Amino acid sequence: MLLVKNLHASVNGKEILHGIDLHVRAGEVHAIMGPNGSGKSTLAQVLAGREGYQVTQGSVTYLDHDLLAMPPEARAREGVFLAFQYPVEIPGVSIALFLKTSLNAIRRERGLPEVDAMDFLGLVRERMKRLGMDEAFLTRAVNQGFSGGEKKRNEVLQLAVLEPLLAILDETDSGLDIDALKTVADGVNAMRGPERAIVVVTHYQRLLDYIVPDYVHVLSQGRIVKSGGPELARELELHGYGWVEAKNGARQVA
Amino acid sequence: MNTATKSLDELIGREYRHGFYTLLETDTVPPGLNEDIIRLISAKKNEPDFMLEWRLKAYRHWLTMKEPEWANVHHPAINYQDIVYYSAPKSDKSGPRSLDDVDPELLRTYERLGIPLKEQAMLAGVAVDAVFDSVSVATTFREKLAELGIVFCPFSEAVQNHPDLVRQYLGSVVPHTDNFYAALNAAVFSDGSFCYIPPGVRCPMELSTYFRINAKNTGQFERTLIIADKDAYVSYLEGCTAPMRDENQLHAAVVELVALEGARIKYATVQNWYPGDKEGKGGIYNFVTKRGDCRGANSHISWTQVETGSAITWKYPSVILRGDNAIGEFYSVALTNHYQQADTGTKMIHLGRNTRSTVISKGISAGRGQNTYRGQIKVLTGAEGARNYTQCDSLLLGSHCGAHTFPYIEVKNPTAKVEHEASTSRIGEDQLFYCTQRGIAPEDAVSMIVSGFCKEVFKELPMEFAVEAQKLLGVSLEGSTG
């Protein structure tokens, strides 16, 4: 589904990713772990098409498309979803309007009829129930005045409604207490299925206790320095990132 | 230039959609202004003597006045002798009696503007008094209103049929000495709308006027007078658009609202006049005086405006809160794009006890647009317990535009409470990316973010006009919606 080859990317002329290779198939859950500044979020942003992130080398193929040639909205309509680490506020725009606009933009691309208000409400209510969310949430302005937990829950709600093929979760666990973490993880787990791939970007292993990945990749200084199964996450928890970096002879930070 | 800025610039760089003009035979007086021209206008309209006298008095006063220079707008000097002060479409002498009598070319123009007069009137229950250049050409639903004793007609007709009402109220809110443009208007105004709601009557439909400037070099000086008698209610909508033109056109209207005891007037404007092209050439100069007088106790006047057009807007819909417990409101969205300049805001003058006013102003600047909010809150000695709340938000799109806020607060009663809040924000690249990552096209995202920003004002508009206004903002920013 997603094939990343020798991906180099820079921000403000500074190279952050120094050649990433990654292969994600439908039905798989991959975890990308790494210390702060290792390039995890940069990878997520590059895949979603954020401007200001220049790809200097390499390629990304997604369902036979050259992903890097597509503008962000086209990627989203083809099924690429990014759950943001820092979701932005959009004052005066209700979650209901935002999500309905988004859903219909995606449905149009897929040749499906647009959903009307009634069908949309039905769908959203069902998904919200699953996530233990209050319906009053729908009338609130997007992310405005939300707590950290509410913002992340809102991201997972969008994931559940939009049903993307490739979901990238960027530090979705950050700022969550244990109960919220469980709810969010349940929401994500409910989305697992043979047609969908999920890439979980995280600093901590604890999210992976709830969303158990098929593969774990350790990112350090812009490279994947180690890949393995879910047990790798636990080893990291025991030994810290220094262990992998030292073992693989990654450049030491001065 | 990064792609977000580029796409924003592209979105806001589209062309004005209403750029066309109608070829009509017109009845026009020679350009220039002197007492003879004023006599000619008055004679053409067959006005009673008091009107002519009033016009001449205003003209003589105007000669002693100077254009205001305090506004934060810049334009070349206007030569008032180059302007044609009267132009009316030439049809049969008595003027059209119904829509069927209206020049079909004119109706087509309205249709291209998206104002299907008939359908709008029928379906939405809106009575439309359409002003084409200077003469009202079509008025609908007047008979139905007449059954309730409501007078809704072109100003010139009111002068003929209701001279006492006109004489009593004309200039009682905006006197001819008020300001340079108001004096000019009083001298030369050719038509406008007149509305009177008798005591205790609730006007059952939204009254609406579409103004449109058409003939070349014609300044349009219309005058609107709305009187809500005791405990009456009326909601009035004014919408404007103009065809594309190279010369700058002056528009100096006056609107007077009078609310007697317990009366309520809601006045909403959607203004979409030609703003000039991308280089700032052409466009309407909109120098308007709008004022409401809450003359009776417990009266209530609200102004809601959505301003997207004109090269220059100079406009401060105000409320004089004379009666005790009177309420004044001002809700405004002003958008400037390309080289547009807007200096707009309100004045709330608190005279009565326990008077309250609310001001919500949303300024949106794009391109090289300059948007100024200028608001005056004045609480005089007698205004025990007066309250004002002002909220003034600016939204910037791109980096070449500007937002300015000039609040003037003058309080002479210690029991008064005046609050002012202001904010300036920018449509962030991060907001746009958040939307596009959800599959929403960039132009739809901009529209949605701008609409969200204006929500507090849009909810004050009647439903169908809120939708219209939202579309208009979309069109003004990117030209693709609607």
Side-chain angles (χ1 to χ4, degrees):
Chain A
M1 175 181 279
L2 179 74
L3 186 60
V4 179
K5 276 189 183 162
N6 191 31
L7 182 68
H8 291 248
S10 353
V11 180
N12 295 327
K14 185 171 180 284
E15 189 167 282
I16 309 284
L17 301 181
H18 305 292
I20 301 279
D21 291 286
L22 183 66
H23 189 193
V24 179
R25 291 175 206 86
E28 294 176 347
V29 174
H30 289 240
I32 310 248
M33 300 184 69
N36 288 332
S38 57
K40 304 186 301 283
S41 281
T42 299
L43 177 61
Q45 303 283 346
V46 166
L47 292 177
R50 179 156 206 155
E51 72 159 287
Y53 291 76
Q54 289 98 28
V55 173
T56 49
Q57 241 190 89
S59 66
V60 178
T61 312
Y62 166 75
L63 301 174
D64 300 331
H65 297 295
D66 173 5
L67 190 72
L68 300 175
M70 296 158 76
E73 64 273 21
R75 298 182 197 197
R77 291 172 195 167
E78 289 292 340
V80 177
F81 178 92
L82 173 65
F84 284 74
Q85 184 179 3
Y86 303 110
V88 296
E89 296 184 359
I90 309 179
V93 176
S94 69
I95 300 225
L97 174 69
F98 180 77
L99 203 44
K100 185 164 166 275
T101 309
S102 168
L103 180 63
N104 280 332
I106 291 167
R107 288 179 66 93
R108 269 201 304 276
E109 183 72 22
R110 295 182 188 166
L112 297 168
E114 294 189 17
V115 291
D116 62 21
M118 289 307 288
D119 291 346
F120 173 75
L121 272 181
L123 172 73
V124 171
R125 279 191 187 129
E126 192 267 322
R127 296 293 193 271
M128 290 180 96
K129 214 163 146 188
R130 203 196 277 174
L131 290 165
M133 293 168 79
D134 190 70
E135 213 178 287
F137 204 72
L138 279 178
T139 55
R140 291 176 67 184
V142 177
N143 294 316
Q144 200 176 24
F146 283 23
S147 69
E150 284 175 326
K151 283 185 182 171
K152 295 301 166 75
R153 231 181 269 209
N154 184 26
E155 294 297 293
V156 178
L157 172 65
Q158 295 177 46
L159 169 68
V161 171
L162 300 177
E163 303 182 307
L165 295 172
L166 172 65
I168 304 161
L169 313 182
D170 189 5
E171 307 266 4
T172 299
D173 50 334
S174 68
L176 293 186
D177 62 30
I178 197 70
D179 291 330
L181 185 71
K182 277 184 190 162
T183 320
V184 162
D186 287 349
V188 174
N189 283 328
M191 297 298 291
R192 293 180 81 148
E195 76 291 344
R196 182 170 297 120
I198 299 174
V199 175
V200 181
V201 174
T202 182
H203 183 96
Y204 300 105
Q205 187 261 341
R206 72 173 185 161
L207 178 66
L208 305 182
D209 288 341
Y210 301 99
I211 304 172
V212 181
D214 301 306
Y215 301 94
V216 174
H217 311 275
V218 180
L219 199 59
S220 174
Q221 293 174 17
R223 287 189 180 86
I224 288 177
V225 291
K226 193 166 175 61
S227 297
E231 71 287 346
L232 179 57
R234 259 164 237 128
E235 281 182 65
L236 279 172
E237 178 81 355
L238 284 174
H239 305 295
Y241 286 112
W243 165 70
V244 191
E245 284 168 359
K247 219 172 139 186
N248 287 274
R251 285 173 298 161
Q252 296 297 309
V253 181
Chain B
M1 190 190 276
N2 60 35
T3 47
T5 332
K6 199 170 76 197
S7 57
L8 270 179
D9 282 349
E10 274 168 20
L11 294 177
I12 59 192
R14 310 231 174 122
E15 303 231 338
Y16 185 68
R17 283 200 320 166
H18 297 317
F20 51 87
Y21 68 100
T22 316
L23 288 170
L24 288 173
E25 254 191 286
T26 55
D27 179 8
T28 303
V29 301
L33 186 55
N34 52 52
E35 294 204 3
D36 288 343
I37 291 285
I38 292 168
R39 283 175 208 282
L40 185 67
I41 292 171
S42 191
K44 273 189 183 291
K45 307 194 81 67
N46 193 26
E47 287 180 345
D49 288 345
F50 82 89
M51 282 301 299
L52 177 61
E53 287 313 312
W54 193 72
R55 287 176 181 279
L56 289 173
K57 207 163 58 182
Y59 173 68
R60 288 168 197 148
H61 189 82
W62 178 73
L63 288 175
T64 69
M65 298 175 96
K66 273 193 177 143
E67 284 176 284
E69 281 166 359
W70 43 264
N72 188 23
V73 297
H74 305 279
H75 58 83
I78 298 167
N79 185 344
Y80 292 92
Q81 296 305 334
D82 281 351
I83 295 172
V84 174
Y85 288 89
Y86 183 81
S87 166
K90 209 186 251 171
S91 41
D92 68 311
K93 275 171 202 150
S94 54
R97 290 268 161 254
S98 72
L99 279 177
D100 301 336
D101 296 338
V102 173
D103 190 328
E105 182 72 10
L106 198 58
L107 294 178
R108 269 196 294 277
T109 307
Y110 285 130
E111 258 163 50
R112 288 168 72 182
L113 280 168
I115 317 163
L117 212 52
K118 266 182 185 165
E119 280 166 41
Q120 194 173 336
M122 304 295 255
L123 296 174
V126 174
V128 177
D129 174 19
V131 174
F132 192 89
D133 281 318
S134 312
V135 169
S136 294
V137 289
T139 304
T140 49
F141 279 99
R142 269 164 61 191
E143 282 166 28
K144 200 172 164 191
L145 294 171
E147 285 170 24
L148 292 161
I150 295 171
V151 181
F152 178 48
C153 64
F155 205 101
S156 50
E157 257 181 65
V159 170
Q160 303 299 325
N161 303 334
H162 307 277
D164 295 341
L165 282 175
V166 171
R167 200 171 190 162
Q168 186 182 350
Y169 290 105
L170 176 66
S172 72
V173 185
V174 180
H176 68 269
T177 52
D178 191 81
N179 68 68
F180 184 84
Y181 304 113
L184 181 62
N185 174 287
V188 302
F189 83 91
S190 39
D191 218 327
S193 293
F194 177 88
C195 178
Y196 171 78
I197 317 289
V201 171
R202 190 185 164 88
C203 184
M205 56 183 82
E206 312 275 356
L207 301 182
S208 166
T209 309
Y210 272 91
F211 292 109
R212 181 165 160 76
I213 303 174
N214 197 56
K216 252 186 164 182
N217 279 329
T218 308
Q220 185 161 2
F221 304 91
E222 82 279 331
R223 186 140 194 137
T224 298
L225 176 56
I226 298 172
I227 304 136
D229 214 320
K230 274 188 180 178
D231 298 316
Y233 167 90
V234 62
S235 170
Y236 190 89
L237 306 157
E238 175 203 294
C240 323
T241 88
M244 194 175 285
R245 184 102 21 235
D246 275 332
E247 287 85 352
N248 286 303
Q249 289 183 302
L250 176 65
H251 183 87
V254 171
V255 176
E256 296 179 279
L257 310 181
V258 180
L260 301 184
E261 200 182 321
R264 166 132 212 223
I265 301 176
K266 289 169 87 169
Y267 193 103
T269 309
V270 177
Q271 188 263 109
N272 183 28
W273 275 326
Y274 181 51
D277 65 14
K278 286 180 204 169
E279 276 75 50
K281 198 165 162 245
I284 303 292
Y285 292 177
N286 190 23
F287 301 150
V288 177
T289 307
K290 290 187 166 176
R291 194 173 304 151
D293 189 354
C294 282
R295 213 163 273 185
N298 305 308
S299 53
H300 185 167
I301 289 179
S302 35
W303 297 102
T304 306
Q305 60 173 24
V306 177
E307 302 278 323
T308 67
S310 295
I312 303 178
T313 302
W314 178 97
K315 180 179 168 188
Y316 316 90
S318 310
V319 183
I320 301 166
L321 297 147
R322 205 183 297 275
D324 291 346
N325 311 314
I327 299 173
E329 291 165 321
F330 174 73
Y331 301 97
S332 169
V333 168
L335 181 146
T336 54
N337 194 359
H338 303 313
Y339 283 85
Q340 278 178 279
Q341 308 170 56
D343 192 309
T344 182
T346 186
K347 284 191 271 184
M348 292 290 170
I349 317 290
H350 293 257
L351 298 167
R353 297 154 63 91
N354 299 316
T355 45
R356 281 174 288 153
S357 61
T358 304
V359 175
I360 308 284
S361 163
K362 304 278 181 178
I364 302 152
S365 314
R368 294 180 183 274
Q370 293 296 325
N371 214 322
T372 300
Y373 168 81
R374 192 183 299 277
Q376 184 181 43
I377 308 300
K378 208 169 177 175
V379 179
L380 297 175
T381 3
E384 283 285 311
R387 296 274 180 279
N388 163 263
Y389 174 74
T390 298
Q391 183 191 328
C392 190
D393 299 320
S394 306
L395 184 67
L396 304 174
L397 287 83
S399 49
H400 301 297
C401 51
H404 317 269
T405 304
F406 300 105
Y408 305 85
I409 298 170
E410 195 184 325
V411 179
K412 289 186 176 153
N413 185 305
T415 64
K417 201 167 166 185
V418 175
E419 290 173 74
H420 181 94
E421 281 180 27
S423 77
T424 301
S425 53
R426 208 173 268 284
I427 287 196
E429 179 222 307
D430 50 347
Q431 282 176 323
L432 267 183
F433 180 60
Y434 191 71
C435 296
T436 53
Q437 210 302 306
R438 296 296 184 255
I440 301 169
E443 60 267 27
D444 294 342
V446 170
S447 272
M448 187 165 74
I449 294 168
V450 169
S451 296
F453 174 74
C454 301
K455 200 178 190 176
E456 285 159 286
V457 174
F458 286 167
K459 72 179 171 40
E460 297 299 323
L461 291 169
M463 185 63 157
E464 62 273 28
F465 275 73
V467 173
E468 197 109 309
Q470 207 152 327
K471 274 189 196 165
L472 188 55
L473 278 193
V475 168
S476 303
L477 282 169
E478 35 84 4
S480 70
T481 39

